[in-house]
């Protein structure tokens, strides 16, 4: 028995509680004189009525004052309220008992039940793995969406952005991936969602089957900015825990844009200058750190899907551009395709999976390239075809594209109930390319 280790721990134990006092509250920011704390530490603010404690986090310092942001609404806080230091960052309880539950960013179930026993304490903020400790991505993962499995194959441990405007089918696509993929567990982060949409997603898009192997982390749009940021960190930490157990994890975050907006709120409140389109420098420092935490490790993998909201379908706005540069591929959901009734509305020509050439056979790549070629030729001649200016027989390649295009679109369409394995999807692709499909 290592008695000396216990004795050393006792020697290092600090039994004193340190307190400060609230001096000012401006907007989202609480200023206090003391206590002694570090950036990222959690503090407890004793309310004026003394009945509850508000959890807040140290986000900065100004001269000798501590700047705090709360995890909940600021109520019953007045000048002189005590601020208690905990001297530790935010931790959550995580383990297999969380599977099937819907929790908030602090790890508490949203259905007012208590946490199951046997969970482990785990920090939410961690550093990305050492680049040389990451194995290369070598095998594909079955997504269960035909257009992705055949045309945009995803590897185990790949990180993909799903770029779309509002109402183009992001949540529906995430639900299909959660239900149909062959990952061991799904961790789904709903950041900045409308409260109404949370239950809809859990019951309709995810369903009972999907929830059985999922953990859902929810931070709705009405919650403070820090709570929305912590939702992303908590979901990533839960994914890391299960990855370190050797599991293949799917992390789905809807959306990383709202995480960036929340970080912008925090940055502006702490006095950062607004730079690109109002986003503060900390936004562009936080995104890579968050997104790089997922991927492969020596124990397991986290295959990550991050939705990115593109205002006015502008693919070059700052967050979309930055995220696209960090991730290993992007799927573009096209509003025009959605209006035409093509679901999932993935624009194959504008989408790319950067690891697909390394994890697929030459036969798969040739077949996918043939379909891309048909789509590209048809789109190039679309206006001529629609107004009747193109005459059949003028160009054999265009004739073939016109003939094949309806069959290609039929192949790319998939209903939410349609479950297709990757092997079956590839068979359908080969039939389409070689025999013209149905």
């Amino acid at each position: 028995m290592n008695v000396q280790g216990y004795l050393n721990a006792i020697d290092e134990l600090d039994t004193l509680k340190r307190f400060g006092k609230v001096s000012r509250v401006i907007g989202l920011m609480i200023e206090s004189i003391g206590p002694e704390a570090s950036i990222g530490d959690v503090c407890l603010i004793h309310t004026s009525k003394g009945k509850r404690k508000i959890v807040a986090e140290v986000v900065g310092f100004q001269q000798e004052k501590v700047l705090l942001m709360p995890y909940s609404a600021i109520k019953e806080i007045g000048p002189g309220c005590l601020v208690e230091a905990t001297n530790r960052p935010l931790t959550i309880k995580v383990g297999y008992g969380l599977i099937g539950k819907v929790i908030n960013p602090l790890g508490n179930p949203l259905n007012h039940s208590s946490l199951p026993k046997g969970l482990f304490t785990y920090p939410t903020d961690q550093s990305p793995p050492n680049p040389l400790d990451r194995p290369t991505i070598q095998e594909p993962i079955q997504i269960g969406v035909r257009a992705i499995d055949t045309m945009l194959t995803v590897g185990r441990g790949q990180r993909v952005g799903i770029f779309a405007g509002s109402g183009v089918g992001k949540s529906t696509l995430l639900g299909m991936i959660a239900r149909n993929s062959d990952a061991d567990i799904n961790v789904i982060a709903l950041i900045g969602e409308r409260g109404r949409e949370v239950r809809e997603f859990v019951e309709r898009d995810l369903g009972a089957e999907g929830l059985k192997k999922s953990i859902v982390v929810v931070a709705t749009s009405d919650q403070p900015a820090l709570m929305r940021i912590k939702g992303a960190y908590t979901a990533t930490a839960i994914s890391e825990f299960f990855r370190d157990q050797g599991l293949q994890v799917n992390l789905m975050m809807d959306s990383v844009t709202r995480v960036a907006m929340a970080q912008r709120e925090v940055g502006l409140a702490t006095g950062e200058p607004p730079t690109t389109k109002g986003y503060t420098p900390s936004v562009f420092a936080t995104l890579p750190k968050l997104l790089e935490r997922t991927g492969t490790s020596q124990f397991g993998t986290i295959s990550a899907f991050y939705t990115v909201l593109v205002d006015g379908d502008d693919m070059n706005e700052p967050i979309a551009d930055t995220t696209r540069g960090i991730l290993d591929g992007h799927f573009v959901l096209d509003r025009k395709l959605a209006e035409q009734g093509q679901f999932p509305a993935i624009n194959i020509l504008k989408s790319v999976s950067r690891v697909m050439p390394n994890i697929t056979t030459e036969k798969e790549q040739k077949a996918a390239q043939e379909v891309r070629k048909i789509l590209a030729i048809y789109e190039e001649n679309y206006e001529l075809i629609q107004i009747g200016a193109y005459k059949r027989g003028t160009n054999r390649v265009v004739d073939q594209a016109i003939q094949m295009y309806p069959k290609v679109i039929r192949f790319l369409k998939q209903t939410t109930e349609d479950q297709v394995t990757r092997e079956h999807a590839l068979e359908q692709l080969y039939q389409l390319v070689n025999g013209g499909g149905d």
Side-chain angles (χ1 to χ4, degrees):
M1 186 174 178
N2 185 13
V3 177
Q4 190 58 45
Y6 288 104
L7 292 173
N8 291 340
I10 291 170
D11 288 339
E12 293 170 6
L13 185 66
D14 187 357
T15 56
L16 294 175
K17 281 190 175 181
R18 290 174 169 78
F19 291 90
K21 283 188 175 182
V22 172
S23 61
R24 191 164 70 152
V25 177
I26 301 176
L28 306 172
M29 193 67 63
I30 301 167
E31 286 185 10
S32 74
I33 301 168
E36 186 181 321
S38 303
I39 293 283
D41 280 1
V42 170
C43 291
L44 304 175
I45 303 173
H46 297 248
T47 57
S48 54
K49 295 183 180 178
K51 293 182 180 178
R52 67 189 185 103
K53 298 176 184 177
I54 291 175
V55 183
E57 183 177 306
V58 179
V59 294
F61 303 97
Q62 192 169 39
Q63 295 171 351
E64 294 182 4
K65 291 183 179 178
V66 180
L67 304 181
L68 301 147
M69 290 196 80
Y71 288 140
S72 57
I74 302 175
K75 290 182 179 177
E76 301 172 359
I77 292 180
C81 284
L82 290 178
V83 180
E84 179 185 341
T86 64
N87 296 318
R88 59 178 177 81
L90 180 68
T91 57
I92 55 166
K93 295 288 186 179
V94 62
Y96 288 91
L98 279 185
I99 297 174
K101 296 203 175 292
V102 182
I103 62 174
N104 69 9
L106 303 182
N108 302 317
L110 284 185
N111 62 357
H112 310 295
S113 64
S114 57
L115 284 170
K117 294 182 179 178
L119 301 181
F120 303 91
T121 301
Y122 205 74
T124 60
D125 192 0
Q126 303 200 54
S127 298
N130 185 320
L132 294 183
D133 289 342
R134 291 181 183 267
T136 55
I137 299 169
Q138 296 178 333
E139 59 174 324
I141 182 174
Q142 176 182 296
I143 299 300
V145 178
R146 189 163 43 230
I148 296 173
D149 280 334
T150 56
M151 305 299 299
L152 301 160
T153 309
V154 175
R156 289 195 185 279
Q158 185 175 351
R159 301 158 307 147
V160 178
I162 300 174
F163 292 73
S166 54
V168 190
K170 295 186 304 298
S171 298
T172 305
L173 179 59
L174 290 182
M176 287 175 71
I177 294 171
R179 288 194 309 274
N180 300 343
S181 82
D182 61 358
D184 299 317
I185 184 171
N186 301 307
V187 180
I188 304 167
L190 302 178
I191 311 297
E193 287 285 342
R194 305 175 189 91
R196 172 187 63 81
E197 291 181 332
V198 173
R199 189 162 184 174
E200 279 185 13
F201 177 83
V202 171
E203 294 181 359
R204 187 187 65 196
D205 295 328
L206 189 58
E209 282 301 310
L211 190 59
K212 280 182 187 174
K213 64 168 189 175
S214 301
I215 300 169
V216 184
V217 181
V218 176
T220 50
S221 58
D222 59 297
Q223 291 183 299
L226 203 59
M227 199 71 154
R228 282 174 269 146
I229 296 168
K230 289 301 168 186
Y233 279 69
T234 296
T236 307
I238 293 170
S239 303
E240 289 169 326
F241 171 82
F242 286 107
R243 175 183 66 186
D244 293 345
Q245 305 299 307
L247 299 184
Q248 315 297 331
V249 184
N250 271 359
L251 169 63
M252 286 165 270
M253 191 177 293
D254 185 14
S255 70
V256 74
T257 307
R258 294 196 180 108
V259 177
M261 288 176 173
Q263 182 62 45
R264 176 173 62 183
E265 286 181 44
V266 173
L268 291 171
T270 53
E272 283 189 72
T275 52
T276 314
K277 286 203 174 178
Y279 287 100
T280 57
S282 64
V283 174
F284 301 103
T286 300
L287 281 178
K289 189 182 173 188
L290 175 65
L291 303 181
E292 285 289 349
R293 285 171 62 180
T294 55
T296 59
S297 82
Q298 53 195 323
F299 305 109
T301 63
I302 302 175
S303 304
F305 300 87
Y306 299 98
T307 68
V308 182
L309 287 167
V310 284
D311 295 333
D313 298 322
D314 176 17
M315 289 294 295
N316 296 315
E317 64 96 29
I319 300 305
D321 203 38
T322 303
T323 309
R324 191 166 55 241
I326 298 167
L327 299 177
D328 310 316
H330 53 272
F331 303 159
V332 178
L333 300 189
D334 196 323
R335 189 177 302 279
K336 189 170 75 172
L337 297 180
E339 289 166 353
Q340 293 170 358
Q342 181 180 326
F343 290 100
I346 301 172
N347 188 319
I348 300 297
L349 296 178
K350 291 182 180 178
S351 305
V352 68
S353 169
R354 291 180 184 169
V355 304
M356 183 176 174
N358 304 328
I359 58 173
T360 53
T361 64
E362 191 176 340
K363 183 181 179 184
E364 291 171 33
Q365 292 173 36
K366 282 185 176 178
Q369 198 59 41
E370 189 62 34
V371 173
R372 278 181 175 269
K373 183 180 168 185
I374 291 167
L375 289 169
I377 292 169
Y378 188 89
E379 192 169 297
E380 192 178 323
N381 296 276
Y382 177 77
E383 290 184 4
L384 290 176
I385 295 166
Q386 290 302 305
I387 64 174
Y390 176 79
K391 293 181 180 178
R392 286 183 181 271
T394 306
N395 187 315
R396 186 177 58 83
V397 176
V398 178
D399 289 346
Q400 184 190 15
I402 293 170
Q403 181 192 346
M404 291 290 293
Y405 185 76
K407 298 171 184 176
V408 169
I409 297 303
R410 212 160 36 238
F411 169 78
L412 295 175
K413 281 184 180 181
Q414 185 175 339
T415 63
T416 53
E417 294 79 24
D418 188 9
Q419 295 190 357
V420 184
T421 63
R422 184 168 184 272
E423 290 72 21
H424 188 208
L426 286 171
E427 284 176 17
Q428 292 176 321
L429 175 66
Y430 298 146
Q431 287 174 8
L432 174 68
V433 172
N434 299 325
D438 298 335

